[in-house]
Amino acid sequence: MSRDSLRINEEIHIREVRVTSATGEQLGIMPTREALRMAEEQHLDLVEVAPKAKPPVCRIMDFGKYRYEQQKREKEAKKKQKVISIKEVKLRPNIEQHDFDVKLKNALRFVEEGNKVKVTIMFRGRELSHPELGKEVLGRVAEKLGDSVSIERNAKLEGKNMTMIVAPKVQKASKPKKSKETQSKEENSNAKD
């Protein structure tokens, strides 16, 4: 709930409200004036938490503290979000090998960073009459990227461009394998015991 959607204290213009205390205890249905008086006696605010209920539900609480904690929770949730952006790599249908390798290296770097990659083949002039050349280049890209990616959208011709979107494969958390050295050390120590 945002600050704008919550009405507090004198902003509540309804005659009767259902009131809950700061501890969550039901105080029952009472006139709004009486609920406001109770909140003031406790040096707290009367906050309308469920305006659509019949009668509306209000809670006696410290609104400043409530709003601060809510902002803190929202900030934490934002921190935990992983923003995935789409990076683009542009190629031509008759690209030279070295240029292809450079573009492939960039695409691989983007995938390793956790981003999706949009691979675009740009056609000019008569090249558009041979879309199979673009598909061939996209096939080479998919083959070189191999198992590190999953193809989210196959090659598709849109106007003068052919695009394909690849995304990093989700890695399942697995137990790290023990190296041969640590296994042999463990076997030796077990044999001594």
Side-chain angles (χ1 to χ4, degrees):
M1 286 185 189
S2 66
R3 161 70 178 103
D4 302 330
S5 66
L6 294 175
R7 293 189 294 190
I8 60 170
N9 298 331
E10 280 75 33
E11 294 174 6
I12 303 170
H13 299 292
I14 293 123
R15 278 190 303 182
E16 282 189 337
V17 291
R18 181 180 302 274
V19 182
T20 58
S21 70
T23 58
E25 179 186 338
Q26 294 285 335
L27 301 177
I29 297 171
M30 61 180 70
T32 306
R33 293 259 174 246
E34 189 179 327
L36 274 168
R37 187 185 48 75
M38 286 175 65
E40 285 174 10
E41 284 175 2
Q42 298 175 29
H43 302 290
L44 296 172
D45 301 304
L46 184 68
V47 182
E48 188 178 43
V49 290
K52 298 213 186 312
K54 297 279 185 214
V57 179
C58 293
R59 174 178 261 157
I60 296 173
M61 68 168 96
D62 183 352
F63 186 69
K65 183 178 178 184
Y66 168 76
R67 200 171 65 202
Y68 169 74
E69 288 173 352
Q70 193 170 17
Q71 287 172 344
K72 227 167 94 171
R73 280 194 299 271
E74 287 171 3
K75 212 174 187 179
E76 282 298 314
K78 241 182 187 173
K79 276 184 190 176
K80 292 177 184 174
Q81 283 181 341
K82 173 76 172 105
V83 178
I84 296 176
S85 60
I86 296 182
K87 304 284 188 173
E88 187 172 18
V89 176
K90 292 185 175 184
L91 307 164
R92 298 292 312 275
N94 50 2
I95 190 168
E96 294 297 323
Q97 185 60 42
H98 180 265
D99 295 337
F100 177 81
D101 292 340
V102 170
K103 299 286 187 174
L104 186 72
K105 194 168 99 177
N106 287 337
L108 195 59
R109 181 170 46 94
F110 295 147
V111 167
E112 286 170 354
E113 290 171 1
N115 297 311
K116 293 181 181 180
V117 179
K118 179 180 181 181
V119 184
T120 304
I121 304 288
M122 301 178 301
F123 293 100
R124 281 198 203 134
R126 290 189 214 155
E127 292 173 344
L128 201 52
S129 61
H130 296 287
E132 68 276 358
L133 295 176
K135 279 195 175 186
E136 188 180 303
V137 173
L138 289 177
R140 280 175 42 204
V141 169
E143 182 184 319
K144 294 281 186 183
L145 290 175
D147 295 335
S148 62
V149 298
S150 61
I151 297 173
E152 201 166 90
R153 193 174 82 191
N154 283 320
K156 184 177 177 185
L157 190 62
E158 299 168 334
K160 291 186 175 186
N161 295 330
M162 184 179 283
T163 58
M164 172 178 78
I165 296 178
V166 294
K169 276 193 178 168
V170 180
Q171 298 288 324
K172 290 184 180 176
S174 59
K175 294 180 182 178
K177 293 182 179 178
K178 294 179 182 178
S179 66
K180 289 182 181 179
E181 290 177 26
T182 54
Q183 284 180 346
S184 62
K185 285 180 184 177
E186 285 179 0
E187 289 171 4
N188 290 340
S189 65
N190 289 341
K192 290 177 184 175
D193 291 336

